[in-house]
Amino acid sequence: MNMKIKGTGSALPPKVLTNKDLEAMVETSDEWIRERTGIESRHISEKDTVASLATKACQKALENANQTAESVELIIVATCSPEMLLPCCACQVQKNLDARKAVCFDVNAACSGFLFGLQTAFAYLSAGFYRNALIVGSEVLSKIVDWEDRGTCILFGDGAGAVYVEACEETHFLSFVQGSDGSKGEVLSCNDRSLFGAQNLDRFVRMDGREVYKFATRQVPLCMEEALKKANLSVADVDFFVLHQANLRILEAISKRIGAEMKLFPYNVNRVGNMSSAAIPVLLDELNQKGVLLEGMKLVLSGFGAGLTYGACVVCW
Ligand code: UT7
């Protein structure tokens, strides 16, 4: 068995924070942020939670697929910023949707989380355990960002994206490649365990931006090439590279390294910033809603993030 994406959905909190707004908060400039990252604005949650954004994205994905929550058999939420340790976010989404039949759990692989969730669903569906699934990437990173650290606070945004998938006979997912390198965990980390009573703990996201940049521009092309090889395809066969939206410069470097034109790399990082696990499914939903994705198109999805983790998959739409 294989699986097919039957519906997509996304949700962004209404408040928009621009680079100009950030100029009043930290020592930075609109020009610096746009030049180094391509980001102009991001959405920031005031009332929304990881669970409420994930729920909205799932409702839209179900609507797009013409399905109801009662029939959903599996819900996987990818997140690294859940409000609660227990219950997991996927169980909160189940409750909000009233998807009583579903088996629910979270995965945390940071910005690669959605891809790891997708591969997990693929394994369950192709083994015949479940017939359909909702996979969601949802983040409220604004709660774990240090708004006094100009090296990180300019990058991140909040939002959620979801896909509804069904098991099928035809081969839509052509290959998956995933990887992790725990030895480099310290280059992007967050130690928010204040609830364990530790005093003076730094509870914010900390990052060695240059190391993450080097990792992304080296590892993403390698794993995309490996995924294409596994699918018996080459870069020239790909219609779109739907990549993790961390930074426009990273996308440009990757496009150069693999020899594919930048017009094959759709992006929304300029409007929404880096939304970690939500980045790929939100972009996928925007492309789907615009009608840009046509049946039979070959897409490469790929991401990288804290852990460090990385992954790619090739999909025939
Ligand atoms: O999902 C994965 C998440 N992480 C990433 O994708 C991060 C990948 N890394 C990057 O995108 C880049 O490393 C950054 C955009 C984070 C930083 O760009 P950079 O070209 O690597 O700059 P840098 O960290 O080397 O800093 C250059 C200068 C420094 O000043 P000095 O030491 O040269 O005087 C920084 O203090 O820019 C300064 N700087 C800023 N200036 C204005 C750092 N952040 C800012 C800022 N505004 N926001």
mmCIF file of all heavy atoms in Angstrom, residues 171-221:
data_model
loop_
_atom_site.group_PDB
_atom_site.id
_atom_site.type_symbol
_atom_site.label_atom_id
_atom_site.label_comp_id
_atom_site.label_asym_id
_atom_site.label_seq_id
_atom_site.Cartn_x
_atom_site.Cartn_y
_atom_site.Cartn_z
ATOM 1 N N THR A 171 1.184 4.411 -6.507
ATOM 2 C CA THR A 171 2.382 4.923 -5.828
ATOM 3 C C THR A 171 2.442 6.449 -5.935
ATOM 4 O O THR A 171 2.810 6.983 -6.975
ATOM 5 C CB THR A 171 3.651 4.311 -6.457
ATOM 6 O OG1 THR A 171 3.468 2.901 -6.466
ATOM 7 C CG2 THR A 171 4.897 4.665 -5.694
ATOM 8 N N HIS A 172 2.082 7.139 -4.856
ATOM 9 C CA HIS A 172 2.197 8.599 -4.845
ATOM 10 C C HIS A 172 3.456 9.058 -4.122
ATOM 11 O O HIS A 172 4.111 9.993 -4.547
ATOM 12 C CB HIS A 172 0.959 9.227 -4.197
ATOM 13 C CG HIS A 172 -0.220 9.185 -5.102
ATOM 14 N ND1 HIS A 172 -0.398 10.070 -6.126
ATOM 15 C CD2 HIS A 172 -1.264 8.320 -5.161
ATOM 16 C CE1 HIS A 172 -1.506 9.773 -6.782
ATOM 17 N NE2 HIS A 172 -2.051 8.713 -6.215
ATOM 18 N N PHE A 173 3.781 8.382 -3.015
ATOM 19 C CA PHE A 173 5.025 8.711 -2.309
ATOM 20 C C PHE A 173 6.113 7.803 -2.862
ATOM 21 O O PHE A 173 6.051 6.579 -2.713
ATOM 22 C CB PHE A 173 4.855 8.549 -0.794
ATOM 23 C CG PHE A 173 4.186 9.758 -0.188
ATOM 24 C CD1 PHE A 173 2.806 9.890 -0.231
ATOM 25 C CD2 PHE A 173 4.934 10.782 0.377
ATOM 26 C CE1 PHE A 173 2.179 11.022 0.279
ATOM 27 C CE2 PHE A 173 4.321 11.917 0.897
ATOM 28 C CZ PHE A 173 2.943 12.039 0.850
ATOM 29 N N LEU A 174 7.099 8.405 -3.547
ATOM 30 C CA LEU A 174 8.092 7.611 -4.282
ATOM 31 C C LEU A 174 9.306 7.271 -3.424
ATOM 32 O O LEU A 174 9.953 6.257 -3.661
ATOM 33 C CB LEU A 174 8.537 8.369 -5.533
ATOM 34 C CG LEU A 174 7.396 8.801 -6.479
ATOM 35 C CD1 LEU A 174 7.923 9.666 -7.605
ATOM 36 C CD2 LEU A 174 6.700 7.577 -7.056
ATOM 37 N N SER A 175 9.639 8.121 -2.461
ATOM 38 C CA SER A 175 10.780 7.814 -1.585
ATOM 39 C C SER A 175 10.802 8.741 -0.372
ATOM 40 O O SER A 175 10.238 9.837 -0.403
ATOM 41 C CB SER A 175 12.102 7.966 -2.341
ATOM 42 O OG SER A 175 12.284 9.323 -2.688
ATOM 43 N N PHE A 176 11.454 8.244 0.678
ATOM 44 C CA PHE A 176 11.705 9.037 1.892
ATOM 45 C C PHE A 176 13.178 8.872 2.289
ATOM 46 O O PHE A 176 13.714 7.768 2.182
ATOM 47 C CB PHE A 176 10.881 8.506 3.074
ATOM 48 C CG PHE A 176 9.440 8.914 3.086
ATOM 49 C CD1 PHE A 176 8.471 8.076 2.556
ATOM 50 C CD2 PHE A 176 9.043 10.119 3.647
ATOM 51 C CE1 PHE A 176 7.130 8.435 2.584
ATOM 52 C CE2 PHE A 176 7.702 10.477 3.681
ATOM 53 C CZ PHE A 176 6.742 9.643 3.153
ATOM 54 N N VAL A 177 13.781 9.951 2.760
ATOM 55 C CA VAL A 177 15.123 9.877 3.364
ATOM 56 C C VAL A 177 15.060 10.695 4.643
ATOM 57 O O VAL A 177 14.562 11.831 4.621
ATOM 58 C CB VAL A 177 16.202 10.487 2.423
ATOM 59 C CG1 VAL A 177 17.528 10.642 3.138
ATOM 60 C CG2 VAL A 177 16.368 9.644 1.169
ATOM 61 N N GLN A 178 15.477 10.131 5.763
ATOM 62 C CA GLN A 178 15.493 10.890 7.022
ATOM 63 C C GLN A 178 16.839 10.699 7.681
ATOM 64 O O GLN A 178 17.491 9.663 7.490
ATOM 65 C CB GLN A 178 14.428 10.383 8.013
ATOM 66 C CG GLN A 178 13.080 10.103 7.413
ATOM 67 C CD GLN A 178 12.249 11.352 7.238
ATOM 68 O OE1 GLN A 178 12.610 12.250 6.491
ATOM 69 N NE2 GLN A 178 11.133 11.420 7.907
ATOM 70 N N GLY A 179 17.253 11.666 8.507
ATOM 71 C CA GLY A 179 18.512 11.499 9.227
ATOM 72 C C GLY A 179 18.566 12.393 10.447
ATOM 73 O O GLY A 179 17.831 13.382 10.554
ATOM 74 N N SER A 180 19.456 12.030 11.375
ATOM 75 C CA SER A 180 19.630 12.813 12.603
ATOM 76 C C SER A 180 21.100 12.813 12.988
ATOM 77 O O SER A 180 21.808 11.842 12.733
ATOM 78 C CB SER A 180 18.843 12.184 13.759
ATOM 79 O OG SER A 180 17.504 11.963 13.383
ATOM 80 N N ASP A 181 21.543 13.926 13.598
ATOM 81 C CA ASP A 181 22.919 13.999 14.093
ATOM 82 C C ASP A 181 22.891 14.641 15.479
ATOM 83 O O ASP A 181 23.065 15.851 15.626
ATOM 84 C CB ASP A 181 23.781 14.821 13.125
ATOM 85 C CG ASP A 181 25.227 14.893 13.598
ATOM 86 O OD1 ASP A 181 25.539 14.296 14.657
ATOM 87 O OD2 ASP A 181 26.038 15.550 12.925
ATOM 88 N N GLY A 182 22.654 13.791 16.478
ATOM 89 C CA GLY A 182 22.552 14.264 17.865
ATOM 90 C C GLY A 182 23.835 14.874 18.392
ATOM 91 O O GLY A 182 23.805 15.650 19.355
ATOM 92 N N SER A 183 24.969 14.580 17.771
ATOM 93 C CA SER A 183 26.239 15.122 18.272
ATOM 94 C C SER A 183 26.288 16.644 18.094
ATOM 95 O O SER A 183 27.116 17.313 18.703
ATOM 96 C CB SER A 183 27.420 14.466 17.549
ATOM 97 O OG SER A 183 27.487 14.939 16.221
ATOM 98 N N LYS A 184 25.393 17.212 17.250
ATOM 99 C CA LYS A 184 25.400 18.674 17.031
ATOM 100 C C LYS A 184 24.172 19.343 17.660
ATOM 101 O O LYS A 184 23.765 20.429 17.244
ATOM 102 C CB LYS A 184 25.431 18.964 15.531
ATOM 103 C CG LYS A 184 26.660 18.383 14.836
ATOM 104 C CD LYS A 184 27.204 19.306 13.773
ATOM 105 C CE LYS A 184 28.463 18.749 13.152
ATOM 106 N NZ LYS A 184 28.206 17.496 12.408
ATOM 107 N N GLY A 185 23.608 18.695 18.665
ATOM 108 C CA GLY A 185 22.388 19.200 19.301
ATOM 109 C C GLY A 185 22.506 20.604 19.847
ATOM 110 O O GLY A 185 21.538 21.369 19.837
ATOM 111 N N GLU A 186 23.704 20.977 20.317
ATOM 112 C CA GLU A 186 23.839 22.266 21.010
ATOM 113 C C GLU A 186 23.737 23.471 20.067
ATOM 114 O O GLU A 186 23.550 24.585 20.533
ATOM 115 C CB GLU A 186 25.145 22.305 21.825
ATOM 116 C CG GLU A 186 26.437 22.488 21.044
ATOM 117 C CD GLU A 186 26.839 21.286 20.192
ATOM 118 O OE1 GLU A 186 26.298 20.182 20.398
ATOM 119 O OE2 GLU A 186 27.695 21.453 19.304
ATOM 120 N N VAL A 187 23.827 23.288 18.761
ATOM 121 C CA VAL A 187 23.808 24.467 17.880
ATOM 122 C C VAL A 187 22.412 25.092 17.739
ATOM 123 O O VAL A 187 22.285 26.223 17.291
ATOM 124 C CB VAL A 187 24.426 24.219 16.471
ATOM 125 C CG1 VAL A 187 25.845 23.707 16.565
ATOM 126 C CG2 VAL A 187 23.569 23.315 15.623
ATOM 127 N N LEU A 188 21.387 24.330 18.130
ATOM 128 C CA LEU A 188 20.029 24.896 18.121
ATOM 129 C C LEU A 188 19.239 24.191 19.219
ATOM 130 O O LEU A 188 18.858 23.031 19.082
ATOM 131 C CB LEU A 188 19.382 24.685 16.732
ATOM 132 C CG LEU A 188 17.975 25.232 16.483
ATOM 133 C CD1 LEU A 188 17.824 26.668 16.951
ATOM 134 C CD2 LEU A 188 17.642 25.150 15.001
ATOM 135 N N SER A 189 19.040 24.904 20.344
ATOM 136 C CA SER A 189 18.426 24.211 21.482
ATOM 137 C C SER A 189 17.500 25.136 22.269
ATOM 138 O O SER A 189 17.528 26.358 22.112
ATOM 139 C CB SER A 189 19.530 23.675 22.411
ATOM 140 O OG SER A 189 20.280 24.764 22.915
ATOM 141 N N CYS A 190 16.670 24.516 23.113
ATOM 142 C CA CYS A 190 15.777 25.264 23.997
ATOM 143 C C CYS A 190 15.585 24.432 25.254
ATOM 144 O O CYS A 190 15.219 23.258 25.174
ATOM 145 C CB CYS A 190 14.433 25.511 23.315
ATOM 146 S SG CYS A 190 13.269 26.359 24.384
ATOM 147 N N ASN A 191 15.838 25.059 26.397
ATOM 148 C CA ASN A 191 15.867 24.306 27.652
ATOM 149 C C ASN A 191 14.698 24.695 28.553
ATOM 150 O O ASN A 191 14.893 24.974 29.729
ATOM 151 C CB ASN A 191 17.211 24.608 28.336
ATOM 152 C CG ASN A 191 17.542 23.596 29.398
ATOM 153 O OD1 ASN A 191 16.795 22.651 29.602
ATOM 154 N ND2 ASN A 191 18.652 23.805 30.080
ATOM 155 N N ASP A 192 13.487 24.758 27.984
ATOM 156 C CA ASP A 192 12.351 25.253 28.765
ATOM 157 C C ASP A 192 11.807 24.180 29.707
ATOM 158 O O ASP A 192 10.813 23.536 29.418
ATOM 159 C CB ASP A 192 11.243 25.734 27.831
ATOM 160 C CG ASP A 192 10.089 26.319 28.624
ATOM 161 O OD1 ASP A 192 10.242 26.510 29.852
ATOM 162 O OD2 ASP A 192 9.042 26.578 28.032
ATOM 163 N N ARG A 193 12.466 24.001 30.827
ATOM 164 C CA ARG A 193 11.969 23.041 31.803
ATOM 165 C C ARG A 193 11.776 23.719 33.155
ATOM 166 O O ARG A 193 12.054 23.152 34.202
ATOM 167 C CB ARG A 193 12.915 21.828 31.903
ATOM 168 C CG ARG A 193 12.730 20.871 30.733
ATOM 169 C CD ARG A 193 11.338 20.240 30.797
ATOM 170 N NE ARG A 193 11.001 19.500 29.584
ATOM 171 C CZ ARG A 193 10.251 19.979 28.586
ATOM 172 N NH1 ARG A 193 9.784 21.208 28.633
ATOM 173 N NH2 ARG A 193 9.971 19.249 27.551
ATOM 174 N N SER A 194 11.287 24.983 33.080
ATOM 175 C CA SER A 194 11.083 25.748 34.315
ATOM 176 C C SER A 194 10.145 25.007 35.254
ATOM 177 O O SER A 194 10.213 25.139 36.471
ATOM 178 C CB SER A 194 10.527 27.119 33.983
ATOM 179 O OG SER A 194 9.606 27.028 32.933
ATOM 180 N N LEU A 195 9.270 24.148 34.696
ATOM 181 C CA LEU A 195 8.314 23.443 35.545
ATOM 182 C C LEU A 195 8.984 22.356 36.391
ATOM 183 O O LEU A 195 8.382 21.795 37.281
ATOM 184 C CB LEU A 195 7.159 22.883 34.727
ATOM 185 C CG LEU A 195 7.376 21.857 33.648
ATOM 186 C CD1 LEU A 195 5.999 21.397 33.146
ATOM 187 C CD2 LEU A 195 8.126 22.402 32.482
ATOM 188 N N PHE A 196 10.272 22.064 36.117
ATOM 189 C CA PHE A 196 10.991 21.127 36.978
ATOM 190 C C PHE A 196 11.645 21.845 38.160
ATOM 191 O O PHE A 196 12.425 21.253 38.894
ATOM 192 C CB PHE A 196 12.041 20.350 36.174
ATOM 193 C CG PHE A 196 11.417 19.329 35.266
ATOM 194 C CD1 PHE A 196 11.425 19.495 33.903
ATOM 195 C CD2 PHE A 196 10.790 18.214 35.794
ATOM 196 C CE1 PHE A 196 10.828 18.568 33.068
ATOM 197 C CE2 PHE A 196 10.175 17.281 34.967
ATOM 198 C CZ PHE A 196 10.197 17.462 33.606
ATOM 199 N N GLY A 197 11.375 23.144 38.282
ATOM 200 C CA GLY A 197 11.822 23.866 39.464
ATOM 201 C C GLY A 197 13.230 24.421 39.386
ATOM 202 O O GLY A 197 13.731 24.985 40.348
ATOM 203 N N ALA A 198 13.893 24.266 38.242
ATOM 204 C CA ALA A 198 15.265 24.775 38.155
ATOM 205 C C ALA A 198 15.255 26.300 38.221
ATOM 206 O O ALA A 198 14.403 26.941 37.624
ATOM 207 C CB ALA A 198 15.905 24.318 36.855
ATOM 208 N N GLN A 199 16.183 26.866 38.973
ATOM 209 C CA GLN A 199 16.258 28.324 39.131
ATOM 210 C C GLN A 199 17.153 28.909 38.038
ATOM 211 O O GLN A 199 18.081 28.249 37.580
ATOM 212 C CB GLN A 199 16.877 28.675 40.494
ATOM 213 C CG GLN A 199 16.069 28.171 41.688
ATOM 214 C CD GLN A 199 14.747 28.916 41.850
ATOM 215 O OE1 GLN A 199 14.723 30.133 41.814
ATOM 216 N NE2 GLN A 199 13.667 28.164 42.032
ATOM 217 N N ASN A 200 16.890 30.153 37.662
ATOM 218 C CA ASN A 200 17.733 30.890 36.712
ATOM 219 C C ASN A 200 18.016 30.128 35.423
ATOM 220 O O ASN A 200 19.105 30.207 34.868
ATOM 221 C CB ASN A 200 19.084 31.271 37.358
ATOM 222 C CG ASN A 200 18.894 32.022 38.647
ATOM 223 O OD1 ASN A 200 17.986 32.856 38.747
ATOM 224 N ND2 ASN A 200 19.701 31.716 39.625
ATOM 225 N N LEU A 201 17.051 29.338 35.005
ATOM 226 C CA LEU A 201 17.248 28.557 33.797
ATOM 227 C C LEU A 201 16.989 29.436 32.576
ATOM 228 O O LEU A 201 16.059 30.215 32.559
ATOM 229 C CB LEU A 201 16.259 27.394 33.815
ATOM 230 C CG LEU A 201 16.551 26.245 32.899
ATOM 231 C CD1 LEU A 201 17.792 25.497 33.375
ATOM 232 C CD2 LEU A 201 15.359 25.305 32.901
ATOM 233 N N ASP A 202 17.840 29.306 31.550
ATOM 234 C CA ASP A 202 17.607 30.004 30.289
ATOM 235 C C ASP A 202 16.568 29.201 29.521
ATOM 236 O O ASP A 202 16.838 28.098 29.082
ATOM 237 C CB ASP A 202 18.920 30.073 29.501
ATOM 238 C CG ASP A 202 18.736 30.734 28.147
ATOM 239 O OD1 ASP A 202 17.597 31.138 27.840
ATOM 240 O OD2 ASP A 202 19.724 30.843 27.414
ATOM 241 N N ARG A 203 15.340 29.762 29.410
ATOM 242 C CA ARG A 203 14.268 28.962 28.831
ATOM 243 C C ARG A 203 13.970 29.285 27.372
ATOM 244 O O ARG A 203 12.961 28.892 26.829
ATOM 245 C CB ARG A 203 12.993 29.066 29.682
ATOM 246 C CG ARG A 203 12.596 30.468 30.090
ATOM 247 C CD ARG A 203 11.262 30.447 30.793
ATOM 248 N NE ARG A 203 10.225 30.057 29.860
ATOM 249 C CZ ARG A 203 9.478 30.914 29.160
ATOM 250 N NH1 ARG A 203 9.673 32.209 29.273
ATOM 251 N NH2 ARG A 203 8.550 30.490 28.352
ATOM 252 N N PHE A 204 14.884 30.006 26.722
ATOM 253 C CA PHE A 204 14.605 30.431 25.347
ATOM 254 C C PHE A 204 15.408 29.649 24.303
ATOM 255 O O PHE A 204 16.404 28.992 24.637
ATOM 256 C CB PHE A 204 14.895 31.927 25.211
ATOM 257 C CG PHE A 204 14.012 32.778 26.086
ATOM 258 C CD1 PHE A 204 14.559 33.566 27.088
ATOM 259 C CD2 PHE A 204 12.638 32.773 25.902
ATOM 260 C CE1 PHE A 204 13.746 34.354 27.894
ATOM 261 C CE2 PHE A 204 11.812 33.563 26.709
ATOM 262 C CZ PHE A 204 12.369 34.346 27.707
ATOM 263 N N VAL A 205 14.980 29.796 23.057
ATOM 264 C CA VAL A 205 15.694 29.176 21.932
ATOM 265 C C VAL A 205 17.064 29.846 21.788
ATOM 266 O O VAL A 205 17.150 31.080 21.783
ATOM 267 C CB VAL A 205 14.902 29.380 20.614
ATOM 268 C CG1 VAL A 205 15.722 28.930 19.407
ATOM 269 C CG2 VAL A 205 13.573 28.653 20.670
ATOM 270 N N ARG A 206 18.111 29.036 21.713
ATOM 271 C CA ARG A 206 19.464 29.567 21.479
ATOM 272 C C ARG A 206 20.031 28.909 20.228
ATOM 273 O O ARG A 206 19.802 27.711 20.004
ATOM 274 C CB ARG A 206 20.391 29.281 22.666
ATOM 275 C CG ARG A 206 19.940 29.948 23.954
ATOM 276 C CD ARG A 206 19.977 31.469 23.868
ATOM 277 N NE ARG A 206 19.339 32.081 25.050
ATOM 278 C CZ ARG A 206 18.778 33.274 25.057
ATOM 279 N NH1 ARG A 206 18.735 34.001 23.962
ATOM 280 N NH2 ARG A 206 18.246 33.750 26.146
ATOM 281 N N MET A 207 20.767 29.680 19.451
ATOM 282 C CA MET A 207 21.180 29.142 18.159
ATOM 283 C C MET A 207 22.537 29.694 17.729
ATOM 284 O O MET A 207 22.826 30.869 17.907
ATOM 285 C CB MET A 207 20.120 29.543 17.123
ATOM 286 C CG MET A 207 20.428 29.075 15.733
ATOM 287 S SD MET A 207 19.143 29.573 14.583
ATOM 288 C CE MET A 207 19.427 31.326 14.495
ATOM 289 N N ASP A 208 23.338 28.803 17.158
ATOM 290 C CA ASP A 208 24.553 29.234 16.463
ATOM 291 C C ASP A 208 24.174 29.301 14.984
ATOM 292 O O ASP A 208 24.218 28.300 14.263
ATOM 293 C CB ASP A 208 25.673 28.210 16.706
ATOM 294 C CG ASP A 208 26.972 28.618 16.025
ATOM 295 O OD1 ASP A 208 26.909 29.398 15.052
ATOM 296 O OD2 ASP A 208 28.027 28.146 16.460
ATOM 297 N N GLY A 209 23.738 30.496 14.552
ATOM 298 C CA GLY A 209 23.153 30.681 13.223
ATOM 299 C C GLY A 209 24.058 30.204 12.101
ATOM 300 O O GLY A 209 23.613 29.559 11.154
ATOM 301 N N ARG A 210 25.355 30.507 12.212
ATOM 302 C CA ARG A 210 26.293 30.133 11.139
ATOM 303 C C ARG A 210 26.402 28.632 10.982
ATOM 304 O O ARG A 210 26.491 28.114 9.874
ATOM 305 C CB ARG A 210 27.666 30.733 11.420
ATOM 306 C CG ARG A 210 27.653 32.195 11.147
ATOM 307 C CD ARG A 210 29.031 32.773 11.197
ATOM 308 N NE ARG A 210 28.964 34.168 10.819
ATOM 309 C CZ ARG A 210 30.011 34.905 10.580
ATOM 310 N NH1 ARG A 210 31.211 34.402 10.672
ATOM 311 N NH2 ARG A 210 29.868 36.166 10.242
ATOM 312 N N GLU A 211 26.438 27.918 12.140
ATOM 313 C CA GLU A 211 26.539 26.446 12.081
ATOM 314 C C GLU A 211 25.288 25.849 11.446
ATOM 315 O O GLU A 211 25.362 24.916 10.647
ATOM 316 C CB GLU A 211 26.752 25.861 13.485
ATOM 317 C CG GLU A 211 28.176 25.941 13.973
ATOM 318 C CD GLU A 211 29.187 25.294 13.026
ATOM 319 O OE1 GLU A 211 28.937 24.162 12.561
ATOM 320 O OE2 GLU A 211 30.220 25.930 12.730
ATOM 321 N N VAL A 212 24.110 26.391 11.827
ATOM 322 C CA VAL A 212 22.856 25.873 11.260
ATOM 323 C C VAL A 212 22.830 26.144 9.754
ATOM 324 O O VAL A 212 22.427 25.285 8.954
ATOM 325 C CB VAL A 212 21.619 26.507 11.948
ATOM 326 C CG1 VAL A 212 20.329 25.989 11.326
ATOM 327 C CG2 VAL A 212 21.621 26.230 13.438
ATOM 328 N N TYR A 213 23.286 27.317 9.366
ATOM 329 C CA TYR A 213 23.328 27.688 7.945
ATOM 330 C C TYR A 213 24.201 26.700 7.159
ATOM 331 O O TYR A 213 23.792 26.190 6.106
ATOM 332 C CB TYR A 213 23.889 29.108 7.824
ATOM 333 C CG TYR A 213 23.818 29.679 6.436
ATOM 334 C CD1 TYR A 213 22.763 30.504 6.043
ATOM 335 C CD2 TYR A 213 24.804 29.395 5.490
ATOM 336 C CE1 TYR A 213 22.689 31.025 4.763
ATOM 337 C CE2 TYR A 213 24.736 29.909 4.206
ATOM 338 C CZ TYR A 213 23.680 30.728 3.852
ATOM 339 O OH TYR A 213 23.605 31.233 2.579
ATOM 340 N N LYS A 214 25.395 26.410 7.712
ATOM 341 C CA LYS A 214 26.325 25.493 7.018
ATOM 342 C C LYS A 214 25.712 24.103 6.909
ATOM 343 O O LYS A 214 25.779 23.453 5.876
ATOM 344 C CB LYS A 214 27.664 25.396 7.787
ATOM 345 C CG LYS A 214 28.603 26.545 7.491
ATOM 346 C CD LYS A 214 29.993 26.232 7.984
ATOM 347 C CE LYS A 214 30.239 26.868 9.326
ATOM 348 N NZ LYS A 214 31.413 26.505 10.056
ATOM 349 N N PHE A 215 25.104 23.653 8.023
ATOM 350 C CA PHE A 215 24.476 22.324 8.057
ATOM 351 C C PHE A 215 23.379 22.228 6.987
ATOM 352 O O PHE A 215 23.326 21.279 6.202
ATOM 353 C CB PHE A 215 23.902 22.083 9.456
ATOM 354 C CG PHE A 215 22.954 20.921 9.550
ATOM 355 C CD1 PHE A 215 23.428 19.619 9.512
ATOM 356 C CD2 PHE A 215 21.583 21.130 9.673
ATOM 357 C CE1 PHE A 215 22.541 18.548 9.593
ATOM 358 C CE2 PHE A 215 20.706 20.063 9.759
ATOM 359 C CZ PHE A 215 21.193 18.766 9.715
ATOM 360 N N ALA A 216 22.514 23.247 6.938
ATOM 361 C CA ALA A 216 21.370 23.210 6.018
ATOM 362 C C ALA A 216 21.826 23.197 4.567
ATOM 363 O O ALA A 216 21.326 22.412 3.755
ATOM 364 C CB ALA A 216 20.465 24.421 6.270
ATOM 365 N N THR A 217 22.782 24.061 4.236
ATOM 366 C CA THR A 217 23.173 24.175 2.825
ATOM 367 C C THR A 217 24.000 22.971 2.359
ATOM 368 O O THR A 217 24.089 22.711 1.167
ATOM 369 C CB THR A 217 23.948 25.489 2.557
ATOM 370 O OG1 THR A 217 24.997 25.591 3.529
ATOM 371 C CG2 THR A 217 23.028 26.688 2.695
ATOM 372 N N ARG A 218 24.574 22.216 3.307
ATOM 373 C CA ARG A 218 25.303 20.988 2.931
ATOM 374 C C ARG A 218 24.353 19.773 2.915
ATOM 375 O O ARG A 218 24.304 19.018 1.962
ATOM 376 C CB ARG A 218 26.438 20.734 3.944
ATOM 377 C CG ARG A 218 27.384 19.625 3.519
ATOM 378 C CD ARG A 218 28.403 19.285 4.596
ATOM 379 N NE ARG A 218 27.766 18.780 5.810
ATOM 380 C CZ ARG A 218 27.761 19.403 6.977
ATOM 381 N NH1 ARG A 218 28.362 20.554 7.125
ATOM 382 N NH2 ARG A 218 27.158 18.875 8.033
ATOM 383 N N GLN A 219 23.568 19.632 3.996
ATOM 384 C CA GLN A 219 22.795 18.401 4.193
ATOM 385 C C GLN A 219 21.532 18.310 3.331
ATOM 386 O O GLN A 219 21.192 17.236 2.842
ATOM 387 C CB GLN A 219 22.422 18.285 5.677
ATOM 388 C CG GLN A 219 22.010 16.905 6.108
ATOM 389 C CD GLN A 219 23.104 15.869 5.941
ATOM 390 O OE1 GLN A 219 24.170 15.987 6.534
ATOM 391 N NE2 GLN A 219 22.862 14.874 5.115
ATOM 392 N N VAL A 220 20.837 19.426 3.141
ATOM 393 C CA VAL A 220 19.565 19.372 2.385
ATOM 394 C C VAL A 220 19.798 18.926 0.932
ATOM 395 O O VAL A 220 19.119 18.016 0.451
ATOM 396 C CB VAL A 220 18.785 20.701 2.498
ATOM 397 C CG1 VAL A 220 17.592 20.721 1.559
ATOM 398 C CG2 VAL A 220 18.332 20.910 3.940
ATOM 399 N N PRO A 221 20.790 19.517 0.210
ATOM 400 C CA PRO A 221 21.021 19.018 -1.158
ATOM 401 C C PRO A 221 21.364 17.523 -1.175
ATOM 402 O O PRO A 221 20.864 16.790 -2.019
ATOM 403 C CB PRO A 221 22.218 19.848 -1.640
ATOM 404 C CG PRO A 221 22.157 21.090 -0.834
ATOM 405 C CD PRO A 221 21.628 20.695 0.504
#
